[in-house]
Amino acid sequence: MRIATLALLTTVLVSPALAADLDYGVLRGYDDDYPAPAPIIDWSGFYVGGHGGYSSAALGFNNAFQSIVANALRHTSAEEEMKASEFLVARSVHATGTSYGVFAGMNYQFDDVVAGVEADYTYFGKTGATFDQISRVMTTKNGYRNVVALAGDASTQIEDYGTIRGRLGYAFGNFLPFFTGGVAIGRATVRDTVAVQNFAYDNTAYTNNQTGTNKTYINHFGYQNFDQKDPPGSTPDAATVYGATKNVTIAGFALGGGIEYAVTSNFLLRGEYQYVLFNDFRGHKAEMNTVRGGGAIKF
């Protein structure tokens, strides 16, 4: 009994001391188990990446044919009186499709404001074409029945272009909304051709021949075969095609905006919209609307 009683008392006395030394960290969790705070992204630095998306080019041809016709019919009644160079009206068209390229830039961060400069290259390679034809008949001041028939083809291919833009954004942790603006320069191929027919005969002489007894010779031009008795039924010359295909350098300005997300401090993803308006070139117009995504490595 004495041995059992002694063991019981020892257990009672020692147990509180052991309990005081127990580590209950397993139950309540350790202080250093709380998640570490998210790292702060430093947007400053040089970066390079690639992009791809969808572009729509609005192509205009308002004055594509005018100089061609005016030159082909210079010093003629067809141009001086009839204003033939103003006959054709080439309607605008759209060329759409995928576009892709590369970009590189440098950022500087001031607190949450991020400013920088970026250059990009975009390949497009799409073509838009238009067509118009018209014919007009007029008795000009010299008494000739003058006929002008025109058929014009025009096309623009935007091969590629690049931009250099300033960039301004505001950092919200891993997100960076931004705006851009700058200049653009590109390469285009333009093709403008007009098939021109201009033929006429002396309508005064023809009319007099219908009523008078003395027949006079009816002057004429632009005919393959001319029938003095039936000028309206004569065969005119085939149309002559004027114009050319030219490779041109085009310039304009670029605006845009988007948002970047820093997956890590060195890997960035972005979505972006870009608008480019080129200056008129050889009677053509072009503006680009592009929606694209991209990724970059920041150093």
Side-chain angles (χ1 to χ4, degrees):
M1 285 295 293
R2 286 197 299 270
I3 295 173
T5 302
L6 181 59
L8 179 61
L9 291 173
T10 301
T11 301
V12 171
L13 293 174
V14 173
S15 296
L18 292 175
D21 292 337
L22 288 176
D23 187 354
Y24 293 100
V26 174
L27 299 178
R28 68 174 184 267
Y30 294 99
D31 291 342
D32 59 359
D33 280 346
Y34 290 105
I40 298 176
I41 299 297
D42 181 8
W43 292 92
S44 296
F46 174 76
Y47 59 90
V48 61
H51 64 80
Y54 181 84
S55 295
S56 175
L59 305 174
F61 306 89
N62 289 349
N63 299 315
F65 301 131
Q66 188 167 0
S67 61
I68 297 174
V69 177
N71 186 62
L73 297 177
R74 64 188 182 278
H75 308 310
T76 66
S77 297
E79 176 61 19
E80 294 177 359
E81 291 186 47
M82 299 175 68
K83 308 297 182 185
S85 61
E86 301 176 6
F87 288 174
L88 293 173
V89 178
R91 292 167 178 80
S92 300
V93 298
H94 282 80
T96 59
T98 57
S99 58
Y100 55 88
V102 294
F103 61 90
M106 176 68 76
N107 282 333
Y108 301 92
Q109 184 167 356
F110 309 93
D111 295 328
D112 292 327
V113 176
V114 180
V117 63
E118 180 174 295
D120 68 353
Y121 167 83
T122 301
Y123 176 80
F124 185 53
K126 302 298 187 297
T127 302
T130 190
F131 172 82
D132 191 29
Q133 64 180 1
I134 194 171
S135 61
R136 289 286 187 269
V137 180
M138 177 181 176
T139 300
T140 51
K141 294 177 182 178
N142 58 4
Y144 277 61
R145 184 179 183 273
N146 211 315
V147 180
V148 178
L150 307 173
D153 286 284
S155 66
T156 302
Q157 180 185 48
I158 304 297
E159 185 69 20
D160 52 12
Y161 62 92
T163 72
I164 299 177
R165 294 162 289 122
R167 211 164 79 117
L168 184 64
Y170 192 89
F172 295 91
N174 289 42
F175 290 92
L176 178 67
F178 62 88
F179 296 95
T180 66
V183 298
I185 188 168
R187 297 185 301 169
T189 301
V190 297
R191 179 180 181 273
D192 302 314
T193 60
V194 182
V196 179
Q197 276 184 304
N198 180 211
F199 50 95
Y201 63 85
D202 188 342
N203 191 58
T204 301
Y206 170 64
T207 302
N208 291 337
N209 285 350
Q210 304 308 302
T211 57
T213 56
N214 295 324
K215 306 299 183 181
T216 60
Y217 179 80
I218 302 174
N219 290 318
H220 59 277
F221 64 84
Y223 286 92
Q224 183 178 354
N225 294 300
F226 186 79
D227 187 346
Q228 289 284 331
K229 296 180 180 180
D230 183 23
S234 301
T235 304
D237 289 335
T240 301
V241 178
Y242 299 88
T245 299
K246 299 287 186 180
N247 297 319
V248 296
T249 299
I250 55 180
F253 67 87
L255 298 173
I259 188 168
E260 281 187 348
Y261 175 70
V263 180
T264 70
S265 59
N266 299 107
F267 181 57
L268 312 175
L269 295 177
R270 69 162 58 173
E272 183 181 17
Y273 164 76
Q274 187 181 78
Y275 172 78
V276 176
L277 176 63
F278 292 108
N279 298 327
D280 292 5
F281 49 99
R282 299 183 66 87
H284 293 234
K285 296 181 178 182
E287 61 180 68
M288 305 288 299
N289 289 275
T290 300
V291 178
R292 64 195 187 187
I297 301 297
K298 184 173 76 68
F299 300 94

